[in-house]
């Protein structure tokens, strides 16, 4: 099957085309365009306008890049949620129009589950991982148990990416600030004590964000503040991931989400995995960030297992939780 997927939960609009080789995913194209606000955070309506003005070209480009004729596309899939309403609606509208014009089935998928499945689909030997999903708005530790992807731990306030971006915004770094904080952190040497908030397998970041802002205002070096933010938040994320691995007795760990591009986070989780004789997996960067290929791939898995969606039921759901999906395509 050849599937086209449209991702549009937040700042990115992406179109990807994949084909299955048995139950493994072959990515034929995966094009992403990111909305970057000039000042402040993401304005949902402006992000949606950005997506609307780019989507038609992205669909065309991704078919060209994949060297796929539209007549040969078997399925259209889109990100049903969770995400920002106006952005989700734009992506879903494009998917409906495409499905109707090609006369091909449509399927709406859960964005967080897509992050996990693209890891299993593209990485050799990644079969039953605990996933640390670290993106802008979402931060979750997810693993399969009894027919669902269960959330074993998650942020109680803001996502780790939002935490990094907000710190960056407060001190005048450009959006997205994660990569800039990573650059600064590499130069940092002095560790500044920051609040380390874990409850069971849940985590919180806003207290740390306030404390980091205060250190910077008091004149601590930016590189040291960035270094301390990374060391503290990433250690906490690694700890809740390890706890979920111990609890579920799984011996694979998978990273996903934009923050998973960070070398220090990868390194910490990899070290933890090595210490417990577990396998470490991280998809390539373009499959870690929000992208259409992962949406296409989850669409395939669902369709292939017999799940169908009528176009009149192809709603979006801003609060579509990871554990609301019946995962019938694996055991
Ligand atoms: P996503 O929502 O999954 O597309 O991820 C976007 C988030 O990833 C933003 O908050 C970025 O600041 C963050 N990000 C991207 N690259 C890095 C990096 N190298 N280190 C830390 N955060 C990053
Ligand atoms: Mg994401």
């Amino acid at each position: 099957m050849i599937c086209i997927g449209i991702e549009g939960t937040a700042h990115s609009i992406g179109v990807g085309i994949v084909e299955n080789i048995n139950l493994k995913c072959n990515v034929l194209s995966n094009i992403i365009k990111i909305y970057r606000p000039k000042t402040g955070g993401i304005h949902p309506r402006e992000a949606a306008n950005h997506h609307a003005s780019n989507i038609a070209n992205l669909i065309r480009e991704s078919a060209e890049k994949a060297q796929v004729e539209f007549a040969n596309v078997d399925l259209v899939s889109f990100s049903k949620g969770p995400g920002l309403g106006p952005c989700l609606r734009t992506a879903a509208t494009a998917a409906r129009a495409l499905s109707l014009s090609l006369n091909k089935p449509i399927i709406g998928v859960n964005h967080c589950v897509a992050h996990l499945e693209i890891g299993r689909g593209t990485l050799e030997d990644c079969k039953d991982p605990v996933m640390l999903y670290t993106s802008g708005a979402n931060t979750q530790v997810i693993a399969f148990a009894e027919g669902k992807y269960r959330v074993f731990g998650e942020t109680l306030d803001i996502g780790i990416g939002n935490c990094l971006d907000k710190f960056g915004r407060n001190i005048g770094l450009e959006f997205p600030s994660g990569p800039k904080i990573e650059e600064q952190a590499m130069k940092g040497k002095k560790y500044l004590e920051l609040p380390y908030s874990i409850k069971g397998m849940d985590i919180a970041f806003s207290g740390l964000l306030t404390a980091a802002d205060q250190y910077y205002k008091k004149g601590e070096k930016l590189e040291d503040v960035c270094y301390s933010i990374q060391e503290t938040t990433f250690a906490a994320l690694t700890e809740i991931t390890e706890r979920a691995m111990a609890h579920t007795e799984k011996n694979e760990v998978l990273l996903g989400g934009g923050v998973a591009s960070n070398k220090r986070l990868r390194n910490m989780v990899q070290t933890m995995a090595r210490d417990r004789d577990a396998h470490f997996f991280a998809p390539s960067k373009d499959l870690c960030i929000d992208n259409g290929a992962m949406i296409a791939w989850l669409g395939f898995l669902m369709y292939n297992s017999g799940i169908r969606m009528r176009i009149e039921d192809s709603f979006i759901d801003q609060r579509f939780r990871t554990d609301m999906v019946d995962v019938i395509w694996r055991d």
Side-chain angles (χ1 to χ4, degrees):
M1 270 183 85
I2 292 182
C3 306
I4 186 165
I6 301 180
E7 153 62 29
T9 52
H11 49 69
S12 302
I13 181 78
V15 181
I17 300 183
V18 305
E19 65 176 354
N20 68 300
I21 299 173
N22 298 319
L23 282 177
K24 279 288 172 187
C25 171
N26 185 27
V27 178
L28 300 173
S29 68
N30 195 21
I31 303 177
I32 299 155
K33 249 196 140 91
I34 303 179
Y35 159 74
R36 294 177 199 278
K38 284 184 198 77
T39 55
I42 304 173
H43 188 301
R45 193 161 20 85
E46 283 169 20
N49 288 343
H50 163 270
H51 299 353
S53 47
N54 283 292
I55 185 68
N57 275 338
L58 286 180
I59 291 172
R60 217 173 292 127
E61 273 174 45
S62 82
E64 273 165 25
K65 180 114 191 276
Q67 297 187 305
V68 163
E69 300 286 333
F70 282 114
N72 295 330
V73 168
D74 299 298
L75 176 71
V76 177
S77 106
F78 69 95
S79 48
K80 179 180 164 77
L84 304 171
C87 300
L88 290 170
R89 253 171 243 122
T90 303
T93 304
R96 283 181 211 117
L98 190 60
S99 157
L100 286 170
S101 66
L102 301 178
N103 196 22
K104 292 293 152 87
I106 191 167
I107 211 151
V109 311
N110 181 287
H111 173 95
C112 310
V113 173
H115 271 292
L116 195 148
E117 287 296 354
I118 196 67
R120 293 206 321 130
T122 55
L123 300 166
E124 205 60 49
D125 300 327
C126 179
K127 295 195 170 71
D128 186 22
V130 169
M131 178 168 80
L132 172 60
Y133 169 37
T134 52
S135 73
N138 299 300
T139 297
Q140 294 185 331
V141 178
I142 305 168
F144 183 80
E146 294 176 20
K148 289 198 170 175
Y149 283 117
R150 314 269 170 188
V151 179
F152 286 88
E154 67 186 316
T155 178
L156 298 172
D157 48 21
I158 52 175
I160 175 65
N162 277 357
C163 171
L164 300 173
D165 294 338
K166 277 190 183 172
F167 175 73
R169 194 195 316 160
N170 292 347
I171 64 154
L173 297 178
E174 255 172 61
F175 176 87
S177 305
K180 280 151 204 129
I181 291 172
E182 177 171 28
E183 248 175 70
Q184 287 292 329
M186 282 178 196
K187 297 182 270 174
K189 288 187 187 66
K190 179 172 158 196
Y191 179 75
L192 306 160
E193 198 80 33
L194 286 167
Y196 188 86
S197 325
I198 292 183
K199 280 190 178 172
M201 284 179 256
D202 291 331
I203 193 165
F205 297 113
S206 41
L208 175 142
L209 178 60
T210 307
D213 280 341
Q214 282 167 353
Y215 274 127
Y216 184 71
K217 280 194 198 121
K218 278 189 215 142
E220 293 290 350
K221 281 194 200 154
L222 179 59
E223 59 204 48
D224 291 330
V225 182
C226 291
Y227 166 72
S228 307
I229 293 174
Q230 284 203 171
E231 291 304 301
T232 312
T233 56
F234 295 171
L237 288 166
T238 306
E239 183 175 322
I240 60 170
T241 309
E242 180 166 26
R243 233 172 248 180
M245 291 175 78
H247 178 73
T248 57
E249 299 183 348
K250 295 192 196 281
N251 68 350
E252 295 172 20
V253 60
L254 169 70
L255 295 183
V259 186
S261 316
N262 188 291
K263 290 198 190 72
R264 182 64 181 134
L265 178 63
R266 284 182 180 232
N267 174 271
M268 273 196 205
V269 176
Q270 199 164 14
T271 305
M272 176 274 282
R274 196 187 313 124
D275 287 350
R276 9 182 345 108
D277 279 330
H279 302 279
F280 169 82
F281 298 99
S284 62
K285 200 174 158 186
D286 57 325
L287 294 176
C288 264
I289 59 175
D290 291 349
N291 67 91
M294 69 179 190
I295 301 300
W297 178 243
L298 178 53
F300 161 75
L301 291 173
M302 292 170 69
Y303 192 83
N304 190 50
S305 71
I307 297 170
R308 299 290 180 268
M309 183 177 274
R310 296 184 313 167
I311 201 131
E312 51 272 44
D313 299 327
S314 60
F315 309 120
I316 59 137
D317 181 353
Q318 283 159 266
R319 296 176 193 278
F320 191 14
R321 296 246 332 148
T322 306
D323 48 14
M324 284 160 68
V325 182
D326 285 320
V327 180
I328 60 167
W329 56 88
R330 59 161 287 183
D331 46 36

